[in-house]
């Protein structure tokens, strides 16, 4: 058998990095998320925490994703972080405490925007482990999630606050749509 016809087996704990313009992005992201969510959903409550603020275009990925997920009105997960009620640096610790109080050993999915290299802008990354909110702007905030989904919304490394403020809303909205559709599909077995 020729090597290029052999399908690569990707470990389920390997991060997935996918461009939001990939025609198979929803299917691929949903498939990877299912691998992590399905076993947890059998015994744990799923909690989605969408991080960010609507006061910065680049940092609005989380709240936009949360608002898109909220429209589905699903009973399969709890949702924190929408445009109406964002979860951001000021209320993050209180929100995490509320989650710990309300749910016993929840499976938390953290969603946040991040900055990266120019060649990675527009990519969504799903990976095991928590997201580290505020890292791109040198803030020390608690990590969030058993798994996380990050969207690389712009270039990092210099004047991060300015860069986040000047990120194209169209890109952020497209990425939020991709994440919400993929996550909903993973949670509902689609």
């Amino acid at each position: 058998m020729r090597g290029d016809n052999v399908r690569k087996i990707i470990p389920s704990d390997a991060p997935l990095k996918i461009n939001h313009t990939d025609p198979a992005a929803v299917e691929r992201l949903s498939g990877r998320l299912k691998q992590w969510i399905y076993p947890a959903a059998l015994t744990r409550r799923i909690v989605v925490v969408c991080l960010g603020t609507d006061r910065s275009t680049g940092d609005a990925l989380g709240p936009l994703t949360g608002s898109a997920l909220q429209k589905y009105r699903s009973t399969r997960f709890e949702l924190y972080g929408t445009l109406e009620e964002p979860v951001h640096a000021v209320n993050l610790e209180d929100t995490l405490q509320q989650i710990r109080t309300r749910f016993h050993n929840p499976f938390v999915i953290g969603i946040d925007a991040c900055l990266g290299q120019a060649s990675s802008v527009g990519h969504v990354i799903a990976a095991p482990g928590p997201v580290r909110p505020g890292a791109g702007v040198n803030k020390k905030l608690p990590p969030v999630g058993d798994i996380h989904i990050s969207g690389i919304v712009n270039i990092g490394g210099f004047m991060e606050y300015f860069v986040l403020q000047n990120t194209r809303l169209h890109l952020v909205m497209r990425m939020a749509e991709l994440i919400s559709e993929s996550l909903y599909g993973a949670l509902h077995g689609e």
Side-chain angles (χ1 to χ4, degrees):
M1 184 183 291
R2 290 186 47 194
D4 56 2
N5 290 333
V6 177
R7 190 175 213 191
K8 288 183 182 179
I9 297 175
I10 300 170
S12 64
D13 62 343
L16 173 70
K17 181 178 178 183
I18 187 165
N19 194 308
H20 78 284
T21 60
D22 183 329
V26 170
E27 180 182 338
R28 290 180 58 205
L29 181 56
S30 184
R32 180 59 56 87
L33 292 171
K34 269 188 236 181
Q35 291 177 335
W36 295 321
I37 294 169
Y38 180 74
L42 297 174
T43 58
R44 300 166 71 185
R45 186 68 177 144
I46 305 298
V47 177
V48 179
V49 181
C50 300
L51 304 154
T53 178
D54 61 343
R55 295 175 185 237
S56 169
T57 306
D59 202 26
L61 177 68
L64 284 166
T65 301
S67 290
L69 280 169
Q70 189 175 42
K71 292 178 185 176
Y72 291 116
R73 302 184 197 282
S74 175
T75 58
R76 298 211 178 168
F77 61 93
E78 301 294 328
L79 178 64
Y80 292 83
T82 61
L83 287 170
E84 186 176 355
E85 295 181 32
V87 175
H88 45 66
V90 176
N91 66 4
L92 176 58
E93 289 190 35
D94 289 341
T95 301
L96 293 176
Q97 182 57 45
Q98 180 183 3
I99 292 167
R100 286 189 293 269
T101 301
R102 189 169 169 210
F103 306 103
H104 172 70
N105 192 29
F107 185 82
V108 178
I109 302 167
I111 300 173
D112 198 8
C114 67
L115 301 173
Q117 297 177 343
S119 61
S120 294
V121 172
H123 283 78
V124 172
I125 299 170
V131 66
R132 306 218 181 272
V137 290
N138 298 315
K139 285 188 180 178
K140 297 257 186 203
L141 297 171
V144 178
D146 293 282
I147 65 170
H148 71 274
I149 305 168
S150 296
I152 304 170
V153 297
N154 214 328
I155 301 167
F158 183 70
M159 296 177 58
E160 283 81 2
Y161 284 105
F162 180 76
V163 169
L164 282 171
Q165 292 289 347
N166 288 286
T167 297
R168 295 213 46 230
L169 180 59
H170 180 261
L171 172 66
V172 178
M173 291 189 71
R174 292 271 316 268
M175 294 172 78
E177 290 166 5
L178 165 64
I179 295 168
S180 62
E181 187 177 341
S182 300
L183 186 53
Y184 181 82
L187 289 163
H188 289 81
E190 296 174 1

